[in-house]
């Protein structure tokens, strides 16, 4: 008789998916990342994906980033984990380059793009920075102000306030 322990079944929430995907993003395309991405795809198998946006997003989550972007993703992941401000050299959609100090909160994927979500100190507001538009990431060593990731992730159910 085999004693098999079954883990309780529950869906991953958006913050857990974002953290797992970011961890995979900076692994690049090596053998570990291939196995890890296969595991993440397996976690998505139970999802009923009948939406083109969700399907494209899941494909992006499980596709390796180019090596230079993966290196920047590693610095971003370290800053989120260490709660440190990062300095971004960023090229916006209008091809303008700016330097921003950002309190990184989380990362997310929408359709074909990865985003760093954080409090931009220049704009004094939450901003999303597309990974492929980030030219460089510099650690600053400055402590980041705390921000709850759940407030900045889409599709989060908010607890209802008692009336």
């Amino acid at each position: 008789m085999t004693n098999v322990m079954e883990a309780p079944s529950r869906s991953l929430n958006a913050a857990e998916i974002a953290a797992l995907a970011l961890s995979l993003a900076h692994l690049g395309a090596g053998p570990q990342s291939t196995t890890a991405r296969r595991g993440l795809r397996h976690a998505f198998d139970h999802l009923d994906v009948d939406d083109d946006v969700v399907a494209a997003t899941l494909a992006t989550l499980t596709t390796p980033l180019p090596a230079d972007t993966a290196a920047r993703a590693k610095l971003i992941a370290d800053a989120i984990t260490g709660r440190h401000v990062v300095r971004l050299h960023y090229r916006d959609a209008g091809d303008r380059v700016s330097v921003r100090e950002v309190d990184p909160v989380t990362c997310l994927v929408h359709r074909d793009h990865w985003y760093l979500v954080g409090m931009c100190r220049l704009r004094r507001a939450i901003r999303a920075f597309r990974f492929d538009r980030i030219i460089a990431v510099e650690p600053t060593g400055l402590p980041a102000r705390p921000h709850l990731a759940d407030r900045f992730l889409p599709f989060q159910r908010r607890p209802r306030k008692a009336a």
Side-chain angles (χ1 to χ4, degrees):
M1 184 166 142
T2 306
N3 185 4
V4 177
M5 292 182 59
E6 290 188 29
S9 175
R10 79 168 182 86
S11 296
L12 297 172
N13 67 35
E16 291 167 334
I17 291 170
L20 284 170
L22 179 59
S23 296
L24 292 176
H26 65 75
L27 285 177
Q32 258 190 324
S33 69
T34 301
T35 302
R37 281 189 186 81
R38 188 170 45 244
L40 188 57
R41 275 189 219 103
H42 179 71
F44 293 146
D45 284 346
H46 73 280
L47 296 177
D48 182 23
V49 180
D50 61 351
D51 181 319
D52 290 341
V53 173
V54 173
T57 299
L58 294 179
T60 301
L61 280 170
T62 56
T63 300
L65 290 171
D68 59 334
T69 305
R72 290 190 297 273
K74 171 76 170 114
L75 291 171
I76 290 167
D78 290 346
I80 291 170
T81 301
R83 295 185 177 153
H84 290 104
V85 175
V86 290
R87 185 172 298 113
L88 302 180
H89 297 256
Y90 189 74
R91 184 181 313 279
D92 68 16
D95 207 32
R96 293 175 296 271
V97 175
S98 62
V99 177
R100 312 280 188 100
E101 288 193 354
V102 177
D103 295 18
V105 176
T106 192
C107 291
L108 60 87
V109 174
H110 181 68
R111 296 186 190 232
D112 299 330
H113 300 288
W114 278 87
Y115 295 86
L116 163 63
V117 178
M119 180 63 73
C120 175
R121 291 185 169 192
L122 177 68
R123 300 289 184 232
R124 295 187 179 156
I126 289 293
R127 293 288 190 260
F129 300 93
R130 254 178 54 178
F131 273 30
D132 62 331
R133 292 184 181 157
I134 297 173
I135 300 165
V137 178
E138 299 172 26
T140 65
L142 298 171
R145 294 180 195 102
H147 300 282
L148 297 175
D150 287 351
R151 292 189 178 173
F152 305 107
L153 292 171
F155 316 118
Q156 288 290 301
R157 291 192 175 142
R158 305 282 189 252
R160 292 182 184 212
K161 293 182 181 178

